[in-house]
Amino acid sequence: MQTRLVTATAWAATLAATLASLPAQAATPVRPPTAEHGWVTSTLRHMSLEQKVGQLFATYVYGGDAVDPSATDRAANLAAFGVETPAEVIERYHLGGVCYFSWSHNLDSPRQIATLSNGLQRAARGDGAKGRVPLLISTDQEQGAVVRMPSPAAQFPGSMALGAGRSARDARTAAEVTGRELRAVGIRQPYAPIADVNVNPGNPVIGVRSFGADPTLVADLTAAQVTGFQDRAGVTAVAKHFPGHGDTATDSHTGLPVINHSRAEWDRIDAPPFKRAIRAGVDTIMTAHIVVPALDPSGDPATLSPTILTGVLRGELGFRGVIVTDALNMAGVRAKYGDERVPVLALKAGADQLLMPPNLALARDAVLRAVATGELTERRIDESVRRILGVKYRQGLARSPLVDVEKAVRTVGAPEHLAAVTEVTDPTLTAVRNDAGVLPLPHADRSVLITGWDSAAFAPVATVAAGFTARGARTTARPATLPSDATIAATASQAAGHDLTVVLVNKAWDTAVTDPRATQQRLVAALLGTGKPVVVVAVRDPYDIAHLPGVTTYLATYSYTRAAMDALVSALHGELSPSGRLPVTIPTAEGAGSVLYPYGHGLSW
């Protein structure tokens, strides 16, 4: 729709002018290294060993308010940490960082999040006593499939969509806008960008979280996002998951993956994005709970491997920033050693920041005991604390850890940010198959059924249905997420009475975990059996088409955000010409090297 495109373009111009007028580090002036060194050294000198060890840990806390959480959250904190409020958790353990989640009730609205951040920072700083330092607050705001910030925050379509758009500028913009909104509410460490190269279509844990299957593309967009987060938005980028989680069929949340790349394959496939991130100045790199025998034949996961973290990452790649572990409550890192040994082994391997141990008191005490017995030296602890304090100083936390709550409310979801979402999302839509010539749809009176996978948070079925209705169609919305046999039959019967059906699918290929009854595959087959035109849209992994025989019209959006669904409806009606190109290869269902659609494929009209 021409009006829509002109309006979005105008907003983009407003965004560009606004961002250009702001300092690169968003009110945090760049200070000379001598000033940073002085603050870090002085702070470290006044810290007790317990305070230093506390700085190494980052974990969740329950509640939306630092000092007055709900009764449920008080009970949860008491069970997990032995105290009732988030502020008391900070004070008891001298935490260096806190990670926000919706399930721990930290993320409700910009005002609430900013207020929580201020309360936690006050608890960390206490009365300003020596040795008390501000927190580094983090969250997993990758965008797309992994989103923590709720509406009205800008919701970009995620990494693989950006890979389909092929624009480093757009990747940088997505990081910049995301980073500015996070910083406004007190979050200074987004766990992004994803530097993994997704060369395994059956990868259950990365998939669309990756920019794609080409190391050069992933490296370019990873570096662009490091710049967007750090130089443009003034937050700490985290490139993950080193040494590369893109070729695994095992989820490290539930098992210990083994990556069987040769050293030459690792150098060619997995290393380039991390090398580019380091050259771009990335402050933090996150480890992966994966075994890579070509890098370390010991069988230890990378998180616990001195050979990989100290030898390869620091020695060969020259990384001098903070190494943060992936969550230590994941099965991949707990499979070989007990929870008491893991934090000590991670520090011995070269990690600095220990994320979410399953038992914080046990982990903290294990590190203190390791220092007492000489297994770890206090000098080794100091090395990691120096790196963490350096990041905090460069973030401006030493001088100004609190945020302006009213400014946070104005910043998160600002009109120019939402306009940027549209500008970045539109070029990512990928038309994969249009064999029946159904698209673009003519402007005509028709009855349309919108069905398939749905999300309570984003309501993609309703969004697509509303878009068709706004264009004059007689539209029925029927969500059918992992439908029962009865729902499949009823939906197909309903589709038979419509002129067109649009069905959304989400990881329909994954009949091992996501959809063990293959309900999405059976729903699509039943809809095709009506003989009426069917448009299939993959709202996550583009690989689904290989498992949906008979589909003649297929598009990939890589995410189910509002902007992605709006772009879909516009493209279906010919108002937007699809320009995305596959950032991965889609193999046939048989796999074994056979290609259904090659990297770079994409249709237009």
Side-chain angles (χ1 to χ4, degrees), residues 10 43 94 191 199 229 280 293 333 374 403 425-426 514 528 537-538 546 562 574 600:
T43 302
H94 308 291
Y191 290 133
V199 293
F229 280 126
V333 77
V403 297
T425 302
D426 282 355
T514 303
L528 293 172
V537 182
R562 173 63 183 267

Side-chain angles (χ1 to χ4, degrees), residues 318-343:
F319 180 58
R320 297 293 177 262
V322 170
I323 298 176
V324 57
T325 70
D326 206 344
L328 297 182
N329 59 9
M330 294 166 60
V333 77
R334 303 173 73 187
K336 191 173 179 181
Y337 302 100
D339 292 338
E340 191 172 7
R341 291 297 298 154
V342 166

Side-chain angles (χ1 to χ4, degrees), residues 432-509:
V432 178
R433 179 177 285 179
N434 191 27
D435 292 357
V438 169
L439 302 177
L441 297 170
H443 284 262
D445 180 32
R446 66 173 67 84
S447 63
V448 181
L449 173 67
I450 313 297
T451 189
W453 186 87
D454 203 41
S455 156
F458 289 95
V461 168
T463 300
V464 174
F468 271 83
T469 300
R471 289 160 175 81
R474 289 168 282 116
T475 311
T476 302
R478 185 187 179 104
T481 301
L482 306 183
S484 65
D485 292 347
T487 299
I488 290 172
T491 304
S493 176
Q494 196 169 16
H498 286 75
D499 300 320
L500 173 73
T501 295
V502 177
V503 56
L504 311 183
V505 293
N506 183 325
K507 293 187 77 172
W509 65 268

Side-chain angles (χ1 to χ4, degrees), residues 230-299:
Q230 293 191 177
D231 298 343
R232 300 294 186 88
V235 296
T236 294
V238 181
K240 61 186 187 183
H241 308 79
F242 189 82
H245 212 316
D247 191 5
T248 175
T250 301
D251 186 343
S252 53
H253 291 84
T254 58
L256 179 57
V258 177
I259 308 292
N260 286 312
H261 286 180
S262 68
R263 177 59 198 245
E265 288 173 323
W266 182 82
D267 286 333
R268 177 174 57 85
I269 297 170
D270 303 291
F274 292 101
K275 290 180 177 179
R276 284 290 303 282
I278 291 168
R279 287 207 304 271
V282 69
D283 270 336
T284 311
I285 290 179
M286 179 179 284
T287 69
H289 306 325
I290 58 174
V291 173
V292 187
L295 299 182
D296 180 359
S298 71

Side-chain angles (χ1 to χ4, degrees), residues 23-33 35-36 230-231 393-394 396 399:
Q25 284 286 346
T28 303
V30 177
R31 296 185 182 275
E36 176 185 325
Q230 293 191 177
D231 298 343
Y393 183 88
R394 292 192 295 276
R399 184 172 57 86

